Structures are given as C-alpha cells and as structure tokens.
Amino acid sequence: MNFNLFYNFGRYMIMMRSAFSKPEKLSMYWKETLRQMDDIGVGSLIVVALISIFIGAVTALQFAYQLDGTLVPRYYIGYIVRDLAIIESAPTITCLVLAGKVGSNMAAEIGGMRQKEHIDAMEIMGVNTTAYLILPRLIAAIVVIPLLVTLSAYIAIIGGYIATVPVGDLTSEEYVRGLRSFFVPFNIVMMYVKAATFAFILTSVSCFQGYYVSNGSIELGKASTNAVVYSNILILLADYLIVLLLTG
Amino acid sequence: MIRAENIFKSFDEAEVLKGISMTFEQGKNNLIIGRSGAGKTVLLKILVGLFEPTAGNVWYDKRDFFALDKKAKRAIRMEVGMLFQGSALFDSLTVEENVMFPLDMFTNWTKKEKLDRVNYCLERVELVGANDKYPSETSGGMQKRVGIARAIVLQPKYLFCDEPNSGLDPKTALLIDELIQSITVENNITTIINTHDMNSVMGIGDNIALLHLGKLVWTGNKDEVLESDNELLQKFIFASPFLQRLRDAAIQHG
Ligand SMILES: Nc1ncnc2c1ncn2[C@@H]1O[C@H](COP(=O)(O)OP(=O)(O)O)[C@@H](O)[C@H]1O
Ligand SMILES: [Mg+2]
C-alpha cells in the first residue's frame, strides 16, 4: 500500500515533468487547448450556475436564520454571502463539482485512448504524448476554471439576494450595503490562487489516472472514479494548506 | 535493417520473451508467427520501443535504440510507421485528418502540400474519396487501410504491422497483405509483420520466424516452410484437421 503510494507519486512526477516539454508544433497544441477550453468552459456553464445559485441562496437563508433574534445587523447577510462565496464556496465547491464532471471525463477520454492504442500510435509517430495530452488540458483548465469560479461567485451573490430580499428578510438596500461592507481585496487573490491550484490538481490527477490505465472496461471505470476521489481529497487538502498559508 | 539481440522480457513473475535474437531485412516482409500468447505483440512493442526489454538490445541499422536519449529515440520514431491490431485511428478525426495528423505535427508544409500527400497515400491504399468519413463510419478493412496510409504518410524506413489481417474476411486480408507487400518493395522498407494467418505466411513470407512460448524455434522463408520437419512449425501450420487431411492427401499423391 505504502509502496504503491510512493510508486504512483513518482510516476506522477515523471509524467508531469515530461508534460512540460517543448511542444512539437505550437499550432497543434493551441488547437487542442481551444478544444479543451470549449469542453471545460461551455460544457460546465450550466452546472456551475445551478450549484452557485443554490449555494448563495442557502448561505443567505441559513445566515438569516442564525441572525434571528440577535443584535447583528441584517445587512451582514450580504457581507457574509459575498465573502463566503469568494473565499470558500465558489472556488472549492465549483472545483469539487468540476472534478466530478471534467476530471472523470478527462480520465475516461485519455484512458480510452490508452486502451485503444491511440497513445501508442502517437508515440510511434514521435509525439511526446504526455505533453500533447496533458499540457493543453492543463492550460485550458487553469484559464477557464478561474473564470467559472468568478462567475460562480457572482451567481452565488445573486442567489443570496433572490432567496432573502423578495421574502422580506432584509431590503434590497441592506443587501447591497452588506455587499459593500468590509471588502478585503486580498480575498479575491485568495480565490484565484485556490481556483488555479484546484484546476491544476483536478486536471493533472485525472490525466494521470487515464494515462496509466490498464486494459479492460472495469479498469477504465476505476480510473474515472479514482480521478474524482483523489482530485477531491487533494483539493480539500490544498484548500486547507492555502488558507493556512495565506491567512497565517 | 533491424536487429534484435538476446531480448528478454518479464512482466512481474512471468517471463514472456526468453532470449530472442533475429535480423529483419530491408525491402523484405519479415514475419513473426506463432500462436496467440506466444509473445509476438510484446516483441513488436519492444522493437518499436513501447516496452523496454528486461535485457537485450535493438539495433536500427547502426543505432542501438535503448542506449539513445529521448530525443534521438524520437528521431528514430520519425522513421517508423506502425499499423495497430485495432487500427488505432483517432475517433474524433476524419479519415483525412487521421492521415494528415503526422504531417500536421511534424512538417511545416502548406495545407495544399499536406493534402496532396494525404490524397496520394489514400490513393495508394485504394481509398480515394473516403476523406471526410469518420472511422466509425467505415468497415474494418477500410480502417486497416487508413491505418496503413497513416503509417506511410511520413515515408517510413521501417514499417511494423501487428496482425494486419486479423478480424478481416479472407479476401480483404489478402488485399491488405498485397498492399503491405508492394509498399515494402516499392519503398525498400524494412517491414515486420506479426501474424498467425497461414495465407500471409505462404503469400508474403520473405523471412519467417516462429515464436513459441517466448522462444524462437524456427526461421526460414515461405518455400522452406513446407519442407521443414520442425515439429512445432508443422503443428502450427497444420493446426486444423482440414489442413492435416490436405497434407496427408498431398503426400499420398506424391
Ligand atoms: N502489459 C503486459 N503486462 C503483463 N503481461 C503481458 C503484457 N502484455 C502481454 N503480456 C503477456 O505476455 C504474453 C504474450 O502476449 P502477446 O505478446 O500479446 O501474445 P501474442 O503472440 O498473441 O501477440 C501473454 O501471456 C500476455 O498475457
Ligand atoms: Mg498479439
């Protein structure tokens, strides 16, 4: 078990090192990067929007409930929804969900290419397959996922508004006042550090699972599941470390 | 010319190849034959460098493949074409894009130059006009031919074929054999073919090597096959009762 962990970590490092080599042909890598951006970005818009609106709504309602009968002013609801979205829920929950959607898809796609000897075929042509298969996905994810996270934060704030203002928990002016209070620009930095780190984790872990899959559809399924499970664990671990480092 | 020198290969406990030495000649169809599980695919993948041997060397003319660095290995790969058992065409690309892929990746040709080369190769494998089809829309025989076109598009010096006619009907299988044969001769390529198809053996076997349980047990050419009294070879060739009866009948009639 322990041996396996070290073995896989070593293999992961070797794969990643070889992934960062000079592309054979920039235009081919660029084309692949655009395709991946489209896949990750456009393909995930709806699911990210959906979860974000609920996250914002639930945060707002929950906090309104907690504030009931206390002396904390109501406009704090806007402030809490905003900061919770920026610091934690937008980057972390979005990326956990994307690990399930994008990560499992990458593992299955690359794993399928391994099993159908597509990767061997490219190797024989002289293509550096770790670079060609991983680098475009990595770049696409690190560009697109932070954009999705930004969107998620905005939508969560709208969700909070929809859940509280129309039912009279607080007024529109109060909510907006909350949004404008105690703003710490550094939190935005933290959000992007998280988003980019999580994007890196979920892409590289998922590519790794697919790239080294062995034969058989059971193995392919396992690789896809592992991609999600390991990405999620590592994302939460990284989340903890980032908060520790950046707020300490 | 490719030379394998004392190749051993083990996976975990199992020793799959047990000391294989052989030479594959230029301009010839070099066949590796043997029953399923004999180690043909493993040997082929070692020759092209997809597997590392546990021991032994592979020489590409004067170059010791496994002693080369990554860059030099990739340079050799540019001279290698390979046809895979399952064709290994990229599903998301059309026939034309599949064949063009190596050109896109490794040349700076214009679109027109690339298209001309692709069309020439498609014509060579008798697939004119199939450019815009997707692999899933084509038959197994067509996929093999697209695979050949893709393998030869960069004018390889070495061509590897893993079971080129497995899963094809006998007639299509013959066409594929003839195609590989003529491409080999025309371009003076070193061609290495894995097969367990007797028609291929008797049709295009310039050099034949019989692999049995990871060992080389017989070498010769297609004319020597029938005369050999090597027991393993005879067993392999006359595997079916039908062929055994044919042989016995032939012997009776002198
Ligand atoms: N990647 C691998 N890992 C472990 N064993 C393998 C691997 N590839 C092939 N083998 C084993 O090597 C033996 C020879 O396989 P192979 O070369 O595919 O035979 P064939 O002559 O039919 O092509 C088989 O017993 C197979 O199980
Ligand atoms: Mg085989």
Side-chain angles (χ1 to χ4, degrees):
Chain A
M1 175 65 211
N2 273 333
F3 168 76
N4 240 337
L5 185 67
F6 285 120
Y7 173 71
N8 279 320
F9 182 70
R11 230 166 33 157
Y12 171 85
M13 292 309 286
I14 291 170
M15 179 192 83
M16 289 312 286
R17 223 184 74 181
S18 137
F20 286 99
S21 357
K22 189 170 169 293
E24 293 88 354
K25 196 69 170 298
L26 262 183
S27 61
M28 288 294 276
Y29 278 63
W30 180 235
K31 212 168 102 187
E32 186 63 11
T33 305
L34 291 181
R35 190 173 78 89
Q36 293 298 332
M37 282 180 170
D38 194 58
D39 258 22
I40 301 170
V42 179
S44 308
L45 271 180
I46 291 180
V47 66
V48 167
L50 256 177
I51 57 164
S52 304
I53 203 152
F54 281 109
I55 287 168
V58 172
T59 311
L61 286 179
Q62 198 84 63
F63 194 64
Y65 169 73
Q66 276 176 283
L67 286 191
D68 230 15
T70 68
L71 293 175
V72 181
R74 311 291 303 171
Y75 75 87
Y76 265 52
I77 293 173
Y79 152 62
I80 289 291
V81 169
R82 183 202 69 207
D83 267 14
L84 202 70
I86 291 175
I87 299 175
E88 183 61 17
S89 65
T92 310
I93 297 188
T94 303
C95 288
L96 290 177
V97 170
L98 288 181
K101 188 178 176 300
V102 176
S104 65
N105 186 31
M106 283 182 185
E109 191 184 352
I110 295 180
M113 296 183 73
R114 164 67 75 199
Q115 293 188 340
K116 286 184 281 179
E117 299 187 306
H118 293 182
I119 294 183
D120 286 347
M122 285 188 194
E123 277 290 330
I124 295 296
M125 290 172 194
V127 178
N128 177 355
T129 53
T130 45
Y132 182 64
L133 293 176
I134 297 170
L135 211 49
R137 285 175 170 78
L138 217 46
I139 293 170
I142 289 178
V143 171
V144 171
I145 290 181
L147 292 178
L148 286 172
V149 167
T150 312
L151 182 81
S152 165
Y154 276 110
I155 295 182
I157 288 169
I158 295 170
Y161 182 96
I162 295 173
T164 50
V165 173
V167 297
D169 278 342
L170 76 173
T171 65
S172 181
E173 288 72 34
E174 279 176 311
Y175 191 80
V176 173
R177 182 174 163 211
L179 292 181
R180 292 185 165 173
S181 308
F182 319 111
F183 182 67
V184 184
F186 181 72
N187 288 346
I188 302 283
V189 174
M190 191 139 74
M191 176 177 89
Y192 284 121
V193 170
K194 283 186 177 188
T197 310
F198 300 164
F200 183 90
I201 289 173
L202 81 87
T203 309
S204 61
V205 168
S206 304
C207 290
F208 175 75
Q209 289 296 335
Y211 194 80
Y212 288 110
V213 76
S214 32
N215 269 335
S217 50
I218 292 176
E219 291 297 319
L220 193 59
K222 247 193 234 163
S224 190
T225 307
N226 284 347
V228 181
V229 173
Y230 292 140
S231 295
N232 282 350
I233 293 172
L234 289 173
I235 283 173
L236 291 171
L237 183 68
D239 192 20
Y240 172 73
L241 292 177
I242 290 171
V243 173
L244 207 63
L245 283 174
L246 294 189
T247 61
Chain B
M1 203 261 290
I2 294 179
R3 170 139 188 85
E5 245 172 30
N6 218 13
I7 302 281
F8 285 83
K9 178 70 184 176
S10 304
F11 293 105
D12 301 324
E13 299 294 287
E15 194 167 49
V16 175
L17 297 178
K18 303 164 185 164
I20 307 278
S21 296
M22 59 199 296
T23 302
F24 306 96
E25 290 181 296
Q26 190 172 358
K28 298 266 172 68
N29 290 300
N30 303 275
L31 267 53
I32 302 169
I33 64 174
R35 294 170 46 185
S36 285
K40 302 183 298 290
T41 298
V42 172
L43 178 57
L44 204 68
K45 288 195 171 175
I46 286 175
L47 291 176
V48 293
L50 287 173
F51 288 154
E52 286 233 16
T54 315
N57 303 315
V58 173
W59 292 84
Y60 278 74
D61 292 309
K62 299 250 142 44
R63 296 165 293 182
D64 180 357
F65 186 84
F66 289 102
L68 299 172
D69 63 15
K70 236 181 173 164
K71 218 171 142 195
K73 276 184 187 156
R74 289 202 194 290
I76 288 192
R77 292 274 168 77
M78 309 292 304
E79 303 171 8
V80 169
M82 180 156 174
L83 174 62
F84 285 84
Q85 191 162 353
S87 297
L89 302 178
F90 309 135
D91 326 286
S92 62
L93 305 182
T94 62
V95 165
E96 178 182 294
E97 289 165 339
N98 262 286
V99 180
M100 202 180 280
F101 187 89
L103 300 176
D104 283 336
M105 197 58 118
F106 295 110
T107 71
N108 290 313
W109 299 2
T110 64
K111 180 87 195 165
K112 165 129 196 345
E113 287 167 330
K114 286 190 278 194
L115 201 57
D116 284 348
R117 176 69 191 157
V118 168
N119 282 330
Y120 170 80
C121 290
L122 286 178
E123 197 178 310
R124 188 66 196 77
V125 299
E126 289 162 44
L127 276 180
V128 177
N131 296 49
D132 295 330
K133 286 204 165 71
Y134 282 90
S136 58
E137 301 167 349
T138 62
S139 67
M142 273 169 90
Q143 289 176 15
K144 286 277 156 89
R145 280 186 280 168
V146 177
I148 295 175
R150 189 177 68 183
I152 62 170
V153 74
L154 280 173
Q155 296 188 302
K157 285 168 70 179
Y158 314 96
L159 181 63
F160 295 83
C161 307
D162 194 6
E163 309 266 359
N165 41 29
S166 72
L168 301 180
D169 64 88
K171 204 166 164 196
T172 311
L174 271 182
L175 285 175
I176 298 287
D177 278 351
E178 280 164 17
L179 194 57
I180 294 172
Q181 152 103 333
S182 57
I183 286 171
T184 299
V185 174
E186 254 167 54
N187 304 292
N188 200 21
I189 299 175
T190 305
T191 298
I192 301 176
I193 304 168
N194 268 355
T195 185
H196 55 231
D197 181 342
M198 281 321 298
N199 289 321
S200 307
V201 174
M202 302 314 288
I204 61 173
D206 297 325
N207 294 320
I208 302 167
L210 175 63
L211 214 57
H212 184 74
L213 298 176
K215 280 196 171 138
L216 202 58
V217 292
W218 183 85
T219 54
N221 61 37
K222 62 183 174 195
D223 300 320
E224 289 158 359
V225 164
L226 289 179
E227 287 147 24
S228 163
D229 51 10
N230 183 299
E231 200 179 326
L232 287 168
L233 180 69
Q234 293 303 320
K235 257 196 189 150
F236 173 74
I237 294 173
F238 299 104
S240 75
F242 169 66
L243 285 173
Q244 283 161 17
R245 268 167 59 194
L246 270 187
R247 177 188 56 179
D248 296 342
I251 290 171
Q252 266 180 19
H253 291 88

